[in-house]
């Protein structure tokens, strides 16, 4: 029996994991199958093309040298099929070329890795520590992610964010805009710990990141600077409705920049604000009473439920009743818009849900990023998140709002003809 109790520890980056190796082999096989299917489809689309002597013009021509793509399970090798156009010279610009969409030219890392890098940066991983951190996550072969490579990527993110901030908005229009101030606890400078965010709904029903910057949640000046910057870059048509928390300095700024835009207070924030002014024993009942207001089928029914809440809670809990009553009109503004949109308009959830993931991926660390660098990192995370945003329900109603159609209790009002032909007596 051996008395040797020395255990050999696995070094970082040298993980002997059979499951991971199986996954990599499976990913390699699936990737190869996907690329082969794509090249077969490509050849099928050009099957009718013939050379001058009657042969197939576009044919397979071996494979390109194998290259590795860094993925969430480490490096995966792939050989891309080569396609040849036999009718024209290689240098001819009219030559038919094949490039698989799943494997773009020069691609060296998957989108999941592109998202992982800014997350690690916001977590506090320094540029010099990226190789070690990624080796532990992806294996010792995580090449191309050295400190200098990360530095170049970071510079690219800064440039992308700068270009996005300066993009022309003259062709853009947003029917709705959600606004909120998000505290990420990322490595921001001390004086500005809040991210001011605007998300808009286009007339086609798609949600887009309109603008974001660092600032103070309650600062009307910071919000005004953001809105005026959008206006200077061509966003000349104001939204029909803005949705935000009632405590923001946003409302003062929006009232100055977009004076004709309707306001809708977020019911999630308002419910929380009212509930905190009540004892715990009263909170469940009060929450149900508030729900009866914003879930009412008509504005008249909502008004009745509103009055009932005020009447019930004013005698003992005046602060809670006042907190609700002061925003009465702006809490019920959504009734003048299509019913299909109500669930989108009663809350700032489009921002909250997006930043929930970003918020959980950031934490305050001892190091401190410049605000410009931190915003570029957050921009990369939002850019990835934006691809999964859902289209608004009832998006076919949005063009009607653009044309000025009015709604009552969520139903379109049909205009009655005003010019009737006069009735003339027979001679």
């Amino acid at each position: 029996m051996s008395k040797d109790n020395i255990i050999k520890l696995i070094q970082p980056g040298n993980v002997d994991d059979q499951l991971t190796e199986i996954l990599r082999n499976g990913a390699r096989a699936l990737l190869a199958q996907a690329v082969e299917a794509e090249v077969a489809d490509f050849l099928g689309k050009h099957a009718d093309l013939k050379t001058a002597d009657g042969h197939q013009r576009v044919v397979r021509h071996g494979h390109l040298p194998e290259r590795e793509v860094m993925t969430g399970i480490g490096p995966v090798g792939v050989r891309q099929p080569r396609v040849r156009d036999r009718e024209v010279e290689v240098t001819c610009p009219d030559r038919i070329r094949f490039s698989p969409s799943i494997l773009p030219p020069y691609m060296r890392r998957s989108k999941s890795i592109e998202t992982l890098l800014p997350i690690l940066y916001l977590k506090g991983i320094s540029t010099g520590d990226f190789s070690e951190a990624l080796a532990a996550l992806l294996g010792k072969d995580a090449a191309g992610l050295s400190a200098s490579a990360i530095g170049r990527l970071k510079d690219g993110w800064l440039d992308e964010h700068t270009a996005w901030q300066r993009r022309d908005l003259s062709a853009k229009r947003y029917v709705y805009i959600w606004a909120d101030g998000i505290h990420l606890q990322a490595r921001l400078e001390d004086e500005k710990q809040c991210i001011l965010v605007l998300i808009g709904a286009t007339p086609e029903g798609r949600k887009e990141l309109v603008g974001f910057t660092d600032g103070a949640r309650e600062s009307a000046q910071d919000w005004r600077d953001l809105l005026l910057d959008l206006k200077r870059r061509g966003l000349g048509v104001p939204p029909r409705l803005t949705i935000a928390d009632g405590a923001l300095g946003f409302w003062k700024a929006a009232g100055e920049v977009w004076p004709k835009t309707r306001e809708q207070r977020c019911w999630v924030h308002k419910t929380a604000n009212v509930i905190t002014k009540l004892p715990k024993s009263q909170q469940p009942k009060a929450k149900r009473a508030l729900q009866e207001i914003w879930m009412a089928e008509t504005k008249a029914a909502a008004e009745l439920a509103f009055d009932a809440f005020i009447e019930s809670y004013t005698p003992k809990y005046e602060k809670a009743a006042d907190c609700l009553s002061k925003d009465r009109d702006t809490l019920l503004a959504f009734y003048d818009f299509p019913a299909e949109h109500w669930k989108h308009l009663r809350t700032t959830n489009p921002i909250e849900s997006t930043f929930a993931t970003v918020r959980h991926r950031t934490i305050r660390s001892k190091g401190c990023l410049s605000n410009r660098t931190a915003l570029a990192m957050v921009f990369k995370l939002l850019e990835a998140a934006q691809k999964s945003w859902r289209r608004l329900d009832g998006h076919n109603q949005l063009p009607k709002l653009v044309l000025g159609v009015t709604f009552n209790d969520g139903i379109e009002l049909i205009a009655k003809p005003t010019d009737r032909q006069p009735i003339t007596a027979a001679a």
Side-chain angles (χ1 to χ4, degrees):
M1 178 175 167
S2 175
K3 295 182 180 180
D4 189 0
N5 60 356
I6 299 176
I7 300 173
K8 185 178 180 180
L9 299 177
I10 298 175
Q11 297 300 312
N14 294 307
V15 180
D16 184 15
D17 185 352
Q18 293 183 354
L19 177 59
T20 299
E21 192 59 35
I22 291 172
L23 291 173
R24 287 181 187 174
N25 290 334
R28 187 180 295 110
L30 288 173
L31 182 58
Q33 291 174 14
V35 175
E36 287 291 340
E38 196 167 350
V39 73
D41 182 62
F42 181 83
L43 293 172
K45 290 179 179 178
H46 296 86
D48 295 336
L49 298 179
K50 305 293 181 181
T51 62
D53 54 2
H55 291 92
Q56 196 72 34
R57 174 177 170 177
V58 182
V59 296
R60 293 181 64 101
H61 190 60
H63 291 79
L64 294 171
E66 183 177 286
R67 57 173 161 142
E68 286 190 338
V69 177
M70 189 59 61
T71 71
I73 56 173
V76 173
V78 61
R79 295 187 69 198
Q80 177 181 326
R82 193 199 303 265
V83 170
R84 178 187 174 192
D85 183 353
R86 298 194 292 190
E87 185 70 15
V88 297
E89 296 294 330
V90 174
T91 57
C92 180
D94 296 329
R95 183 170 65 95
I96 298 174
R97 295 173 172 82
F98 169 69
S99 178
S101 60
I102 196 174
L103 196 66
Y106 312 110
M107 180 182 180
R108 289 294 182 267
R109 59 185 62 88
S110 68
K111 292 297 182 182
S112 62
I113 300 301
E114 295 286 354
T115 302
L116 174 64
L117 298 181
I119 292 170
L120 292 177
Y121 207 98
L122 285 168
K123 279 285 191 181
I125 302 296
S126 64
T127 304
D129 293 335
F130 261 84
S131 295
E132 182 179 348
L134 290 170
L137 290 170
L138 307 174
K140 63 179 181 179
D141 298 324
L145 295 172
S146 62
S148 59
I150 295 299
R152 288 192 297 272
L153 279 174
K154 187 183 72 173
D155 292 340
W157 297 334
L158 290 169
D159 293 341
E160 288 176 28
H161 179 226
T162 300
W164 181 83
Q165 283 185 309
R166 297 174 180 173
R167 72 197 187 286
D168 181 27
L169 297 174
S170 57
K172 290 289 185 179
R173 175 163 187 173
Y174 299 101
V175 183
Y176 304 130
I177 282 185
W178 294 265
D180 206 352
I182 305 295
H183 294 272
L184 292 181
Q185 291 191 328
R187 298 189 296 164
L188 297 174
E189 294 170 352
D190 291 337
E191 66 269 17
K192 290 188 176 181
Q193 292 291 340
C194 188
I195 304 292
L196 310 182
V197 187
L198 297 173
I199 290 178
T202 68
E204 297 76 32
R206 295 182 177 87
K207 286 178 283 188
E208 293 180 357
L209 180 65
V210 180
F212 81 101
T213 187
D214 55 336
R217 182 185 179 92
E218 297 83 6
S219 171
Q221 183 60 49
D222 288 340
W223 282 107
R224 187 183 298 109
D225 291 343
L226 177 57
L227 297 181
L228 289 176
D229 178 60
L230 299 176
K231 197 170 183 179
R232 281 191 294 267
R233 288 190 282 119
L235 191 62
V237 181
R240 292 292 307 275
L241 183 73
T242 52
I243 306 96
D245 175 16
L248 297 178
F250 168 78
W251 293 117
K252 182 178 180 182
E256 297 172 1
V257 180
W258 298 326
K260 296 183 179 180
T261 296
R262 297 282 303 276
E263 300 176 4
Q264 171 65 47
R265 294 296 197 271
C266 172
W267 268 100
V268 173
H269 285 92
K270 177 57 69 176
T271 299
N273 293 338
V274 172
I275 292 298
T276 55
K277 293 174 172 57
L278 295 169
K280 288 187 177 180
S281 61
Q282 295 293 323
Q283 290 180 3
K285 181 181 177 182
K287 191 173 183 179
R288 290 193 298 270
L290 291 171
Q291 188 175 14
E292 290 180 6
I293 301 174
W294 57 264
M295 287 291 288
E297 290 293 328
T298 65
K299 189 173 184 179
E303 294 275 13
L304 290 174
F306 207 108
D307 292 337
F309 186 96
I310 301 300
E311 185 179 6
S312 297
Y313 288 91
T314 296
K316 288 187 176 181
Y317 310 108
E318 186 176 359
K319 289 184 178 179
D322 290 344
C323 179
L324 180 66
S325 62
K326 68 185 180 69
D327 292 322
R328 185 185 192 114
D329 292 338
T330 53
L331 283 169
L332 303 178
F334 68 89
Y335 282 103
D336 296 330
F337 292 85
E340 298 93 330
H341 301 167
W342 287 359
K343 69 178 182 180
H344 302 293
L345 304 182
R346 290 184 293 224
T347 174
T348 55
N349 185 61
I351 293 178
E352 290 289 341
S353 58
T354 297
F355 272 85
T357 304
V358 178
R359 185 188 286 111
H360 292 157
R361 289 171 172 174
T362 57
I363 189 170
R364 190 182 305 281
S365 103
K366 293 180 181 178
C368 183
L369 292 173
S370 70
N371 280 23
R372 181 169 178 259
T373 302
L375 288 173
M377 301 301 106
V378 173
F379 169 70
K380 292 302 295 182
L381 297 179
L382 289 174
E383 189 179 49
Q386 187 171 233
K387 296 175 183 178
S388 63
W389 287 352
R390 287 182 60 248
R391 202 175 184 185
L392 262 66
D393 293 345
H395 54 82
N396 59 314
Q397 302 286 359
L398 289 165
K400 297 178 182 179
L401 291 171
V402 173
L403 295 173
V405 174
T406 57
F407 290 78
N408 182 39
D409 289 334
I411 306 300
E412 178 184 351
L413 292 179
I414 306 299
K416 296 180 180 180
T418 56
D419 52 340
R420 297 182 178 178
Q421 293 296 327
I423 300 174
T424 57

